[in-house]
Amino acid sequence: MSQFEQLYRQVALSVAGNPVVEKVLSKQGWALAQRFVSGETAQDAIKAIKRLEAQGISGNLDLLGEFVNTPEPANANTEMILATIDQVHAAGLTPYNSVKMSALGQGQTAPDGQDLGYVNTRRVVERAKRYGGFVNLDMEDHTRVDSTLQIFRRLVGEFGHQHVGTVLQAYLHRSEDDRRSLDDLRPNIRMVKGAYLEPASVALQSKTDIDAAYRRLVYEHLKAGNYCNVATHDHHIIYDVMHFALAHGIPKDQFEFQLLYGIREDLQRELAEAGYTVRSYIPFGKDWYGYYSRRIAERPKNVMFVLRGLL
């Protein structure tokens, strides 16, 4: 990441967190957000899945929302995700969902004394498994990594790695150690670079260092015989992973490429046509601002798209 890009990202995330900016964009930005968000309802997301599946691309649904502080919205979010899983199954599709446990009560105490995030996420995984589905536990800011990995380990023990996975962020200094510590689970892990504004004390700051850490995570995970979700739009890394797999005799059914809805759809089709498993991360829901602001912060080109739309 160049100094300009690094400064841009820091400024963009800081500006996006300003209450005044959030209020303006939340009122005026929905038409623009639809580039990155499939819609506000589960039915909108299901339509997006079917459109992509016609092109050989699978879907990964994410009900938008994060960081709730009381049980009521956490439980409400859980019910909406459960209903979505039922609707996806009713539409003849196999459920595949990503969840942010901070939206399901992570860190709060359930009536039985357990972590509410665990209790609610367990309900979601149990429902998905009923239909042969899969749930991915998204990783959020660095303060939640320990809790997320503890809950992940517990859920894999209960439901198996075929039905629940999690995420590691390449920019965190700890991620290579975290990856090794999970090998006994044969874990299904989604590898990302990281989209939160983290300090240098816990996270790499340069693009060169982050890219190198990303490659190491993916390569080591594949060499360990685990399933890997290569979640990046960086075509250089994607092609390097393809060559690494060929060179090391790693079959195509041991990994997949995951890209975001509305971004590099040409690359998604290209990979699918080449016989690779491709999955599009499809967000939906009314609480879209946090996700949208991180997409704006990823590339200077995205903020120009927003400004043109607002003007």
Side-chain angles (χ1 to χ4, degrees), residues 59-63 81 84-85 88 94-99 124 128 133-137 284:
N60 174 8
L61 289 189
D62 174 31
L63 174 64
I81 294 172
T84 297
I85 291 173
V88 169
T94 301
Y96 191 118
N97 289 70
S98 283
V99 298
V124 171
F134 187 86
V135 176
N136 190 75
L137 312 184
F284 73 98

Side-chain angles (χ1 to χ4, degrees), residues 151-165:
I151 293 172
F152 171 63
R153 177 171 285 278
R154 188 172 178 183
L155 290 172
V156 171
E158 294 179 80
F159 298 100
H161 64 263
Q162 304 92 338
H163 298 287
V164 59

Side-chain angles (χ1 to χ4, degrees), residues 7-279:
L7 179 61
Y8 162 77
R9 184 169 180 272
Q10 292 173 341
V11 171
L13 287 173
S14 298
V15 169
N18 182 291
V20 175
V21 174
E22 180 173 353
K23 184 176 181 180
V24 171
L25 281 178
S26 293
K27 285 184 176 180
Q28 301 184 35
W30 171 240
L32 302 173
Q34 290 180 76
R35 170 177 175 176
F36 307 114
V37 179
S38 62
E40 294 192 339
T41 70
Q43 290 303 314
D44 292 330
I46 289 170
K47 288 178 183 177
I49 294 176
K50 290 185 173 181
R51 177 178 65 82
L52 290 169
E53 286 203 344
Q55 304 173 53
I57 299 167
S58 301
N60 174 8
L61 289 189
D62 174 31
L63 174 64
L64 294 171
E66 52 196 75
F67 300 119
V68 300
N69 298 315
T70 58
E72 290 76 14
N75 293 333
N77 286 337
T78 303
E79 293 299 331
M80 284 191 284
I81 294 172
L82 292 172
T84 297
I85 291 173
D86 289 339
Q87 290 176 66
V88 169
H89 172 70
L93 303 168
T94 301
Y96 191 118
N97 289 70
S98 283
V99 298
K100 288 182 172 59
M101 287 193 291
S102 71
L104 304 185
Q106 185 180 24
Q108 301 176 44
T109 303
D112 63 0
Q114 298 188 87
D115 185 285
L116 182 61
Y118 160 74
V119 171
N120 280 333
T121 303
R122 187 186 188 283
R123 295 175 63 203
V124 171
V125 177
E126 186 174 43
R127 183 68 58 86
K129 182 179 180 180
R130 181 186 304 175
Y131 303 130
F134 187 86
V135 176
N136 190 75
L137 312 184
D138 273 349
M139 194 65 73
E140 301 177 71
D141 68 279
H142 76 276
T143 64
R144 295 180 180 271
V145 174
D146 284 330
S147 171
T148 299
L149 293 183
Q150 288 167 9
I151 293 172
F152 171 63
R153 177 171 285 278
R154 188 172 178 183
L155 290 172
V156 171
E158 294 179 80
F159 298 100
H161 64 263
Q162 304 92 338
H163 298 287
V164 59
T166 193
V167 174
L168 289 178
Q169 298 163 311
Y171 67 176
L172 294 183
H173 299 312
R174 61 177 291 172
S175 289
E176 290 186 59
D177 289 336
D178 286 335
R179 195 215 64 76
R180 282 190 291 270
S181 75
L182 297 171
D183 267 342
D184 62 298
L185 302 178
R186 295 180 59 209
N188 181 320
I189 295 182
R190 184 175 196 255
M191 302 297 185
V192 303
K193 293 184 181 181
Y196 292 84
L197 187 60
E198 299 281 19
S201 59
V202 300
L204 300 168
Q205 302 295 309
S206 80
K207 182 180 187 302
T208 300
D209 290 342
I210 294 170
D211 286 354
Y214 188 92
R215 286 180 170 88
R216 286 195 300 272
L217 277 174
V218 171
Y219 295 166
E220 290 303 313
H221 202 59
L222 290 173
K223 286 195 296 184
N226 302 314
Y227 194 86
C228 188
N229 304 300
V230 184
T232 179
H233 301 103
D234 188 327
H235 64 278
H236 297 294
I237 290 179
I238 288 172
Y239 296 144
D240 283 350
V241 170
M242 293 164 62
H243 294 150
F244 179 88
L246 284 171
H248 290 82
I250 295 168
K252 287 182 178 180
D253 62 3
Q254 194 186 320
F255 63 98
E256 65 186 58
F257 294 109
Q258 294 195 0
L259 296 91
L260 299 176
Y261 178 81
I263 300 178
R264 291 305 310 270
E265 291 185 343
D266 57 331
L267 179 58
Q268 295 185 41
R269 290 190 295 270
E270 175 189 322
L271 292 169
E273 289 168 0
Y276 292 95
T277 299
V278 181
R279 194 175 305 275

